C-alpha cells in the first residue's frame, strides 16, 4: 500500500509543483498521466525516494522515508522498488546475467541465477544470458531491464515512459510484459507516461 | 557478483585507459625499486668486502682504481710493487697485518690471486671441501669459480696470462698445472670469484719475464732496495712509529706483488705512513674514502634516474586521475542506476576508489616484475664483465615504503573522481541522461 498527501516539490528558483493525493492498494497498478513538463518524472523520483519532497509525505506501507538515513533510504529503495527507465540503462562492463544480479547484490539479497534464467526464458532471452549487455538489441535490452526491475521481488515497480519511443506493436508487447510480470511477482506497477496506449491496460489513472 | 569483481570488470572494460595507467606506474615503480635494490646490494657488497681493510698499498696511479682492483677485483691493477720496497709499510709497527696480493693470470677469466693464508682468514672463509693451499701451484678456489668452471677437488688446470682472457695483450698459457686442493663455501665476498694460490706460484710462473722494473739496474739488488727506500724522518716524536730498525733484507725483496691489504694497529698509521712513501712509486689508498667518493659520483646518476622515475610515477597518477575522471562522465548514468538499485553513496565512492587501487596494485606488481627483469639483465651484464651479480629474489624495506607511497598516491589520484561519484545527483542524472 502506498499513499501520498499534500505532496509538493520546488526546484530552485521556480514555483512549487503540487501533486494530487492518491492511494494505491497492494498489488494494484496505476497510471500517472500528464503532458511533458508537468512534473511526471519528478513525481516518479519522489516515489522512488531519489528526491526528497519539499512538502507533504509519502507513506510506503505506513512508513515514511523522511526519518531514514541516506544509506537506509538507498537500501529501502533497493529492496522494495524496481525502476524501469525510458531508455534502458545497464552497467556496460557486465553480461546480461551479471546485470540481472546487480539489484540483488545492491539490496543485499541472495544472488539467485536460476531466478534470472527463469525470467529470461519468459522473454525468450535465456540463450543470451552470458552475452555482454552491449551485444543485445535495443528491444532485447528493454526486456532485460523490465526483468531486472522485478528480479529482487520489489513491492513497487516504477516505470518512466517505458513505451513512448516504441511503435504500436512493440509498445503493446512491453505493456503486456510489464503488467503480467509485475502481477506474477506480486508487485504494484506505477507507470508515468503521456502515452494513452496504456489506458486500456490500467484503469486506475491519476492525472497531473 | 560483488563490488571487487565489478571494479575488476570495469577496469577490463576500459582496458586501454587502464593499460596506460598500469604501464606508466609499472615503469615508475620498476625503475625506483631497481634503484633501491642496486643501491642496497652494492652497499652491502662494498661493505662486506671492505671489512677491516684500512688501507691498500700499491703502485702509484688512481687510488680508486687501486681499491677497485685489489679490494673488489673489478678493475685492472695500477701496476706492481717490490716486496722489499713495501717493507717500510708492511713491517711498520703501526700495521697489524699486511696481506699480499699478486695477480697476473686467470683461468677461464677467473682471476688467480697469489696471496697468503691471511687473505682467506680475513674474510672468515670456510672450506666446503679439501684444504687451504700449502705449496706452489696448489689452488683453493671460490664457490662461484667452482660452480662456473666445474673444477673439482684434485682437478688440474693451466692458467692463462692476463687478468681476463680477452684483455691480456700477450696472451699465452703457462705450462705448469695448478691443482685444486680446496673449495671454499659461498661467502658473498670477492673470494667466491677468485682462485687463491701461494704468492710464490705467481712469482714462479712469471720468472724470467721481461719487466720494466727489473730492467732497471738500480733496483735489482736487495741492497739497492733499501737505498731507494724513501728517507725516513730523522727527528721528532714520530720516531717511535717507524721500524725500530730498518726492514731486514729478505730473499724475496726483489719479487713483485700487486698490492698489500693493510690492517692498522693504531689510527696514527693513516697520518704517518703516507709520508714514508711520499717519494716512492707506491701509494696508500683508503677504501672507505674512495668508495665514498665513488658512490657520490654514482649517486648523481642514481639521483637523475630516480628523478625521472618519480616524474613517470607522477604522470601515471595523473593518468589514473584523468581516466577515472573521463570514465566518470561516461559512467555517471551507470552510477546513478546503481544508486537507484539500492547502492549507497559510500558504495559508489568505494567502487571508484577500488578501481583506482586495483589499477595501482597491478602497476606495482608489474613494476616489481620489471625491476627484477631489469636487475637480472644488469646482473648478467655485470657477470659477463666483472663476475658480479645481483640477487634477484632480494626485497628491501625501501621497496615496502615505495609500495606504501604508491598505494597512497593511487588513493589520492582517485579521491576526486570518487568524491564526485559520492556527490552525484542521481535524480538529475537519471532525468536528463
Amino acid at each position: 500500500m502506498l499513499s501520498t498527501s499534500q505532496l509538493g516539490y520546488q526546484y530552485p528558483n521556480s514555483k512549487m509543483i503540487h501533486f494530487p493525493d492518491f492511494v494505491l492498494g497492494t498489488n494494484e497498478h496505476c497510471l500517472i498521466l500528464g503532458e511533458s513538463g508537468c512534473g511526471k518524472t519528478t513525481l516518479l523520483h519522489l516515489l522512488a525516494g531519489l528526491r526528497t519532497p519539499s512538502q507533504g509525505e509519502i507513506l510506503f506501507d505506513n512508513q515514511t522515508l523522511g526519518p531514514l538515513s541516506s544509506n537506509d533510504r538507498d537500501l529501502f529503495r533497493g529492496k522494495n522498488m524496481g525502476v524501469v527507465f525510458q531508455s534502458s540503462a545497464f552497467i556496460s562492463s557486465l553480461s546480461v546475467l551479471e546485470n540481472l544480479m546487480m539489484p540483488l547484490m545492491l539490496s543485499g539479497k541472495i544472488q539467485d541465477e536460476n531466478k534470472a534464467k527463469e525470467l529470461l526464458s519468459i522473454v525468450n532471452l535465456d540463450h543470451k544470458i552470458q552475452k555482454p549487455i552491449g551485444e543485445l538489441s535495443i528491444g532485447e535490452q528493454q526486456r532485460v531491464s523490465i526483468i531486472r526491475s522485478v528480479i529482487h521481488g520489489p513491492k513497487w515497480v516504477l516505470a518512466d515512459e517505458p513505451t513512448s519511443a516504441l511503435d504500436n506493436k512493440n509498445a503493446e508487447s512491453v505493456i503486456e510484459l510489464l503488467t503480467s510480470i509485475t502481477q506474477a511477482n506480486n508487485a504494484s506497477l506505477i507507470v508515468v507516461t503521456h502515452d494513452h496506449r496504456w489506458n486500456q491496460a490500467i484503469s486506475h489513472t491519476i492525472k497531473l | 557478483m560483488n563490488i571487487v569483481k565489478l571494479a575488476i570488470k570495469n577496469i577490463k572494460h576500459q582496458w586501454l585507459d587502464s593499460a596506460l595507467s598500469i604501464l606508466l606506474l609499472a615503469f615508475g615503480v620498476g625503475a625506483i625499486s631497481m634503484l633501491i635494490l642496486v643501491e642496497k646490494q652494492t652497499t652491502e657488497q662494498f661493505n662486506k668486502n671492505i671489512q677491516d681493510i684500512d688501507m691498500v698499498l700499491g703502485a702509484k696511479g688512481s687510488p680508486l682504481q687501486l681499491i677497485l682492483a685489489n679490494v673488489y677485483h673489478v678493475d685492472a691493477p695500477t701496476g706492481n710493487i717490490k716486496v722489499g720496497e713495501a717493507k717500510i709499510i708492511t713491517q711498520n709497527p703501526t700495521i697489524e697485518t699486511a696481506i699480499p696480493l699478486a695477480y697476473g693470470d686467470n683461468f677461464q677469466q677467473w682471476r688467480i690471486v697469489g696471496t697468503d693464508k691471511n687473505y682467506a682468514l680475513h674474510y672468515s672463509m670456510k672450506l666446503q671441501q679439501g684444504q687451504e693451499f700449502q705449496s706452489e701451484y696448489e689452488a683453493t678456489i671460490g664457490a662461484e669459480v667452482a660452480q662456473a668452471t666445474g673444477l673439482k677437488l684434485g682437478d688440474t688446470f693451466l692458467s692463462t696470462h692476463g687478468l681476463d682472457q680477452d684483455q691480456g695483450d700477450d696472451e699465452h698459457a703457462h705450462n705448469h698445472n695448478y691443482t685444486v686442493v680446496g673449495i671454499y663455501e659461498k661467502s658473498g665476498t670477492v673470494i667466491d670469484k677468485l682462485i687463491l694460490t701461494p704468492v710464490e706460484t705467481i712469482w714462479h710462473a712469471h720468472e724470467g719475464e721481461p719487466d720494466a722494473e727489473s730492467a732497471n739496474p738500480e733496483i735489482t739488488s736487495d741492497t739497492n732496495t733499501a737505498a731507494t727506500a724513501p728517507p725516513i724522518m730523522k727527528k721528532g716524536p714520530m720516531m717511535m712509529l717507524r721500524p725500530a730498525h730498518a726492514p731486514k733484507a729478505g730473499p724475496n725483496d726483489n719479487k713483485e706483488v700487486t698490492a698489500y691489504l693493510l690492517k692498522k694497529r693504531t689510527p696514527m698509521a693513516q697520518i704517518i705512513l703516507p709520508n714514508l712513501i711520499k717519494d716512492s712509486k707506491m701509494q696508500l689508498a683508503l677504501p672507505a674514502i674512495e668508495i665514498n667518493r665513488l658512490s657520490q659520483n654514482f649517486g648523481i646518476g642514481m639521483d637523475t634516474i630516480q628523478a625521472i622515475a618519480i616524474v613517470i610515477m607522477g604522470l601515471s597518477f595523473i593518468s589514473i586521475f584523468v581516466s577515472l575522471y573521463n570514465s566518470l562522465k561516461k559512467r555517471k548514468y551507470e552510477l546513478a542506476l546503481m544508486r537507484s538499485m539500492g547502492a549507497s553513496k559510500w558504495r559508489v565512492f568505494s567502487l571508484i576508489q577500488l578501481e583506482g587501487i586495483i589499477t595501482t596494485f597491478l602497476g606495482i606488481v608489474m613494476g616489481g616484475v620489471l625491476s627484477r627483469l631489469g636487475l637480472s639483465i644488469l646482473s648478467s651484464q655485470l657477470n659477463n664483465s666483472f663476475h658480479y651479480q645481483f640477487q634477484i629474489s632480494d626485497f628491501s624495506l625501501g621497496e615496502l615504503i615505495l609500495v606504501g607511497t604508491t598505494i597512497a598516491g593511487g588513493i589520492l589520484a582517485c579521491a576526486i573522481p570518487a568524491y564526485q561519484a559520492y556527490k552525484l545527483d542521481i535524480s538529475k542524472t537519471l532525468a536528463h541522461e
Side-chain angles (χ1 to χ4, degrees):
Chain A
M1 157 119 154
L2 184 150
S3 66
T4 71
S5 65
Q6 305 282 310
L7 208 54
Y9 190 83
Q10 186 170 23
Y11 285 95
N13 307 319
S14 52
K15 279 208 289 190
M16 174 86 75
I17 311 169
H18 294 278
F19 300 102
D21 292 354
F22 65 91
V23 180
L24 195 63
T26 311
N27 296 348
E28 203 184 324
H29 298 350
C30 93
L31 215 51
I32 298 171
L33 287 168
E35 293 310 309
S36 308
C38 66
K40 288 194 308 284
T41 299
T42 306
L43 179 57
L44 184 101
H45 286 186
L46 289 174
L47 293 175
L50 298 170
R51 278 186 192 281
T52 318
S54 310
Q55 67 167 52
E57 61 178 9
I58 310 167
L59 284 171
F60 301 90
D61 288 343
N62 299 321
Q63 186 189 349
T64 59
L65 298 188
L68 295 183
S69 72
S70 161
N71 276 7
D72 288 343
R73 211 178 311 148
D74 290 328
L75 199 61
F76 181 87
R77 174 172 60 246
K79 279 190 170 147
N80 298 299
M81 286 169 206
V83 187
V84 179
F85 297 101
Q86 185 172 0
S87 54
S88 27
F90 293 94
I91 293 172
S92 53
S93 62
L94 301 182
S95 69
V96 171
L97 176 66
E98 288 162 341
N99 264 294
L100 287 176
M101 291 297 111
M102 287 308 285
L104 296 168
M105 166 196 153
L106 293 172
S107 60
K109 291 183 176 164
I110 295 161
Q111 298 179 33
D112 183 359
E113 295 189 7
N114 288 326
K115 175 92 178 168
K117 276 178 205 157
E118 197 184 295
L119 287 170
L120 277 173
S121 68
I122 295 173
V123 293
N124 299 321
L125 285 174
D126 41 340
H127 58 292
K128 298 210 168 168
I129 190 162
Q130 298 296 351
K131 290 259 186 226
I133 192 73
E135 285 185 16
L136 268 61
S137 73
I138 303 289
E140 288 171 333
Q141 285 189 4
Q142 185 156 33
R143 281 183 271 161
V144 176
S145 82
I146 290 170
I147 287 172
R148 186 182 56 192
S149 70
V150 297
I151 193 166
H152 54 300
K155 288 180 182 158
W156 299 281
V157 172
L158 308 168
D160 187 7
E161 300 280 14
T163 51
S164 55
L166 302 178
D167 58 34
N168 281 340
K169 194 174 161 240
N170 282 311
E172 212 170 284
S173 66
V174 166
I175 292 169
E176 218 298 293
L177 177 61
L178 261 173
T179 46
S180 62
I181 212 160
T182 44
Q183 200 103 50
N185 288 277
N186 300 320
S188 263
L189 174 65
I190 303 166
V191 181
V192 159
T193 189
H194 65 270
D195 187 349
H196 293 278
R197 289 176 291 192
W198 277 93
N199 287 345
Q200 293 196 323
I202 300 173
S203 52
H204 185 172
T205 54
I206 296 152
K207 282 218 162 78
L208 293 188
Chain B
M1 186 53 52
N2 58 48
I3 194 144
V4 178
K5 262 194 191 166
L6 179 60
I8 293 170
K9 294 253 177 189
N10 282 338
I11 290 170
K12 270 198 203 160
H13 194 62
Q14 318 155 49
W15 66 271
L16 207 62
D17 282 346
S18 315
L20 178 69
S21 306
I22 292 170
L23 219 61
L24 277 170
L25 201 59
F27 274 103
V29 170
I32 294 178
S33 97
M34 192 170 144
L35 281 182
I36 291 174
L37 289 181
V38 166
E39 205 163 10
K40 177 189 169 225
Q41 293 192 16
T42 41
T43 315
E44 273 174 9
Q45 285 262 10
F46 275 159
N47 291 341
K48 210 164 189 181
N49 287 317
I50 216 168
Q51 45 181 286
D52 289 338
I53 299 173
D54 299 316
M55 287 175 284
V56 179
L57 177 68
K60 275 220 164 99
S62 150
L64 177 59
Q65 189 186 347
L66 182 68
I67 303 293
L68 288 177
N70 297 293
V71 180
Y72 301 108
H73 304 268
V74 290
D75 203 349
T78 47
N80 284 342
I81 57 172
K82 298 266 181 206
V83 173
E85 276 183 63
K87 275 184 180 168
I88 189 153
I89 301 291
T90 58
Q91 296 188 358
N92 192 286
T94 60
I95 292 300
E96 194 179 313
T97 44
I99 304 167
L101 298 176
Y103 295 124
D105 296 332
N106 76 81
F107 172 66
Q108 292 180 3
Q109 296 189 40
W110 297 91
R111 288 185 181 193
I112 299 172
V113 179
T115 182
D116 62 20
K117 288 187 181 106
N118 284 331
Y119 194 37
L121 213 60
H122 175 80
Y123 287 112
S124 322
M125 297 302 292
K126 288 195 188 84
L127 282 159
Q128 182 193 322
Q129 280 179 301
Q131 57 184 40
E132 303 271 354
F133 55 81
Q134 301 287 338
S135 47
E136 282 182 38
Y137 289 102
E138 285 187 349
T140 315
I141 65 177
E144 280 180 39
V145 181
Q147 202 186 2
T149 60
L151 283 175
K152 290 185 292 292
L153 217 57
D155 281 357
T156 58
F157 61 93
L158 281 173
S159 67
T160 311
H161 193 61
L163 290 180
D164 306 299
Q165 223 158 32
D166 31 84
Q167 280 174 9
D169 22 334
D170 55 349
E171 246 180 63
H172 63 269
H174 295 295
N175 53 10
H176 202 303
N177 269 323
Y178 285 77
T179 308
V180 179
V181 296
I183 297 169
Y184 290 115
E185 275 178 18
K186 194 162 170 60
S187 64
T189 68
V190 277
I191 296 197
D192 292 346
K193 308 165 191 4
L194 297 175
I195 298 170
L196 304 188
T197 185
V199 66
E200 289 80 10
T201 314
I202 307 293
W203 292 340
H204 196 155
H206 291 257
E207 244 165 31
E209 280 179 8
D211 172 306
E213 294 272 327
S214 53
N216 183 344
E218 267 192 279
I219 49 168
T220 40
S221 77
D222 289 350
T223 42
N224 279 348
T225 309
T228 54
I232 296 166
M233 281 185 290
K234 299 256 159 50
K235 285 177 198 160
M238 301 293 181
M239 286 288 279
M240 52 165 291
L241 290 167
R242 63 187 172 87
H245 44 84
K248 265 189 199 159
N252 293 327
D253 280 3
N254 213 20
K255 302 282 203 259
E256 291 181 333
V257 296
T258 318
Y260 282 99
L261 304 180
L262 305 175
K263 191 175 170 185
K264 61 179 188 261
R265 187 165 282 154
T266 123
M268 292 301 280
Q270 259 159 257
I271 303 161
I272 302 154
L273 298 182
N275 274 321
L276 299 180
I277 53 165
K278 223 171 22 199
D279 303 317
S280 74
K281 290 183 174 123
M282 297 181 292
Q283 67 165 333
L284 275 168
L286 305 171
I289 287 178
E290 295 306 324
I291 291 312
N292 198 9
R293 184 156 32 201
L294 177 69
S295 54
Q296 270 171 9
N297 292 337
F298 206 36
I300 296 170
M302 297 276 240
D303 287 348
T304 315
I305 302 174
Q306 195 170 345
I308 294 170
I310 288 172
V311 169
I312 295 174
M313 271 181 72
L315 283 176
S316 81
F317 289 136
I318 294 173
S319 155
I320 290 174
F321 169 75
V322 170
S323 69
L324 278 177
Y325 190 87
N326 279 338
S327 83
L328 208 65
K329 274 193 218 155
K330 283 182 260 168
R331 283 167 51 202
K332 237 163 91 175
Y333 200 80
E334 280 186 15
L335 294 174
L337 185 73
M338 283 178 64
R339 291 290 310 278
S340 81
M341 294 190 289
S344 65
K345 290 176 170 190
W346 280 110
R347 204 124 189 214
V348 289
F349 178 89
S350 46
L351 175 68
I352 301 296
Q353 197 62 266
L354 210 55
E355 287 179 25
I357 292 171
I358 292 170
T359 307
T360 312
F361 183 74
L362 289 175
I364 292 173
V365 170
M366 208 169 142
V369 172
L370 274 182
S371 77
R372 266 61 186 181
L373 206 69
L375 208 61
S376 73
I377 292 169
L378 189 69
S379 181
S380 77
Q381 276 180 351
L382 279 180
N383 199 21
N384 284 341
S385 32
F386 299 122
H387 296 306
Y388 255 95
Q389 277 176 0
F390 286 110
Q391 295 302 118
I392 309 302
S393 56
D394 198 10
F395 184 80
S396 88
L397 190 69
E399 279 189 297
L400 212 63
I401 296 168
L402 176 67
V403 169
T405 321
T406 311
I407 288 177
I411 290 173
L412 221 62
C414 46
I416 294 173
Y419 183 68
Q420 282 183 321
Y422 177 88
K423 291 294 281 181
L424 188 70
D425 184 335
I426 18 175
S427 171
K428 212 167 148 185
T429 310
L430 289 171
H432 297 288
E433 169 140 15

